[in-house]
Amino acid sequence: MAHAQQSPTKSSSEGDLPKESQLKHFMSTLPAREGWSQPLIQYKKYWFRPQMLEKILLVQETYKPRADDIILATQPKCGTTWLKALAFTITNRSRYSFANHPLLTRHPHDVVPFIEISGLSTDHADIETLPSPRLLATHMPMSMLPPDTTSSRGRRIVYLCRDPKDTLVSRLHYENRVVKGCNLSMENAFSMFCEGFSPYGPFWDHCLEYWKESLARPNNVLFLKYEEIMSDPVQAVRTLAKFLGVPLTEEEESSGVAEEVARLCSFETLTGLQVNQVGGVDRGNKVYLDNSVFFRKGKVGDWTNHMSQEMAEKLDRIVQEKLQGCGLMF
Ligand code: PAP
């Protein structure tokens, strides 16, 4: 589509229209489709909630990447909260003791801001004011990261993905819990997901872009799976620390730092903390999210409780076909 290539935040035929009006007009020209709790808009093959797309388009010009930014990239429901906790704890381990750690009183979303979602963290509204090196998160597809985000030799991106069946189950529960009046069925969510129609989807394209980049630039892009972290969280801590340029020292190894990080960031520890049970964040637009919505079961394979074997095989087959030949498998 020709209009998808232009920059919607730059003045064009609309002359001096304020940016927001330009964006709204631009977005009104894009394909929209109903089915999830809100209609989604398609931009460059990916589907977004309108508010998210608006922010993604805006940050194309407002986000100024720094060479030492660390970016945690995920699709929603693939383990963002967990990855934020792990990366924050690893990179700040010389600043905070485990006994008096920020994560004991603050939600992981509160300590690592998103590039494109303001208001999810309470005190990091403006990421431009954060000191370097910044730890930032994003759900943006790789191809939509603002210009220069990936070109720096030093910049690091950690991408975390998850079995699409569990991702879908997690997404379905989240939508039904967070959006008042939403009562989406597994069958409907499943068929939309299989078509590639889901927030930030197609699921496989989002993974594939980061996967290819991780193969091309392994020192800059680390590709992780939720299931791998779950099967050996301590090893995942070591891998992350090394990739992020702060490998565990021998002394740290012998004093069990990797184990402590994994324990602090575990589902069990985080869900046991008051801040993650009763707190919440005001996301603006009259949306208030309980901190607890980011924690449900935290299990691998919960799909077996919500999906038939036939559905699972169908989704596996679709994903396999889409990822065929690239070396990525679920
Ligand atoms: P987000 O992208 O909207 O922030 P995200 O954190 O990616 O959500 O996904 C939430 C999922 O991660 C939930 O999965 P479930 O619905 O299958 O249970 C949540 O339980 C899980 N999760 C959150 N924190 C942890 C953790 N520390 N360890 C393991 N899983 C976690």
Side-chain angles (χ1 to χ4, degrees), residues 197-268:
F197 175 57
S198 62
Y200 292 88
F203 175 88
W204 39 87
D205 286 323
H206 200 290
C207 299
L208 202 49
E209 287 186 1
Y210 284 96
W211 171 251
K212 286 184 178 163
E213 195 68 8
S214 76
L215 296 180
R217 298 189 309 131
N219 294 333
N220 295 88
V221 183
L222 176 67
F223 193 97
L224 297 174
K225 290 182 180 162
Y226 182 98
E227 297 74 25
E228 287 167 0
I229 304 183
M230 192 60 90
S231 78
D232 194 345
V234 173
Q235 189 51 38
V237 170
R238 293 192 185 107
T239 306
L240 267 168
K242 189 164 175 233
F243 176 77
L244 296 175
V246 283
L248 269 72
T249 61
E250 270 178 36
E251 200 184 322
E252 286 179 315
E253 280 290 2
S254 51
S255 62
V257 168
E259 286 79 0
E260 287 221 57
V261 173
R263 198 174 312 121
L264 173 64
C265 301
S266 70
F267 185 84
E268 291 67 29

Side-chain angles (χ1 to χ4, degrees), residues 76-82 109 139 162 170 226 230 265-267 270 294-298:
K77 309 302 142 204
C78 285
T80 322
T81 312
W82 197 8
H109 276 309
H139 288 321
R162 186 181 190 183
S170 187
Y226 182 98
M230 192 60 90
C265 301
S266 70
F267 185 84
L270 294 183
F294 298 99
F295 304 96
R296 191 182 61 92
K297 281 197 176 171

Side-chain angles (χ1 to χ4, degrees), residues 17-35:
L17 277 176
K19 276 184 176 176
E20 233 171 87
S21 312
Q22 279 184 51
L23 276 184
K24 291 225 156 58
H25 170 71
F26 173 75
M27 283 168 45
S28 72
T29 66
L30 300 174
R33 182 175 163 189
E34 305 217 4

Side-chain angles (χ1 to χ4, degrees), residues 17-18 41 106 134 157 194 220 225 289 299 305 323:
L17 277 176
I41 298 185
R106 297 174 70 194
R134 297 181 297 187
I157 298 176
C194 286
N220 295 88
K225 290 182 180 162
L289 285 183
K299 293 253 178 292
N305 299 312
L323 300 179

Side-chain angles (χ1 to χ4, degrees), residues 36 40-41 43-56 74-78 114 116-117 138-142 144 159 171 175 193 196-207 209-210 283:
W36 293 91
L40 302 183
I41 298 185
Y43 179 61
K44 296 184 176 176
K45 94 176 160 193
Y46 289 100
W47 292 96
F48 303 98
R49 290 186 171 178
Q51 311 92 295
M52 286 325 311
L53 178 57
E54 193 174 331
K55 293 201 174 127
I56 289 171
T74 52
Q75 285 188 69
K77 309 302 142 204
C78 285
F114 278 101
E116 76 279 19
I117 311 176
T138 187
H139 288 321
M140 283 184 270
M142 175 109 202
M144 261 176 234
Y159 185 75
R171 157 64 59 188
E175 298 244 339
F193 194 88
F197 175 57
S198 62
Y200 292 88
F203 175 88
W204 39 87
D205 286 323
H206 200 290
C207 299
E209 287 186 1
Y210 284 96
R283 289 187 64 177

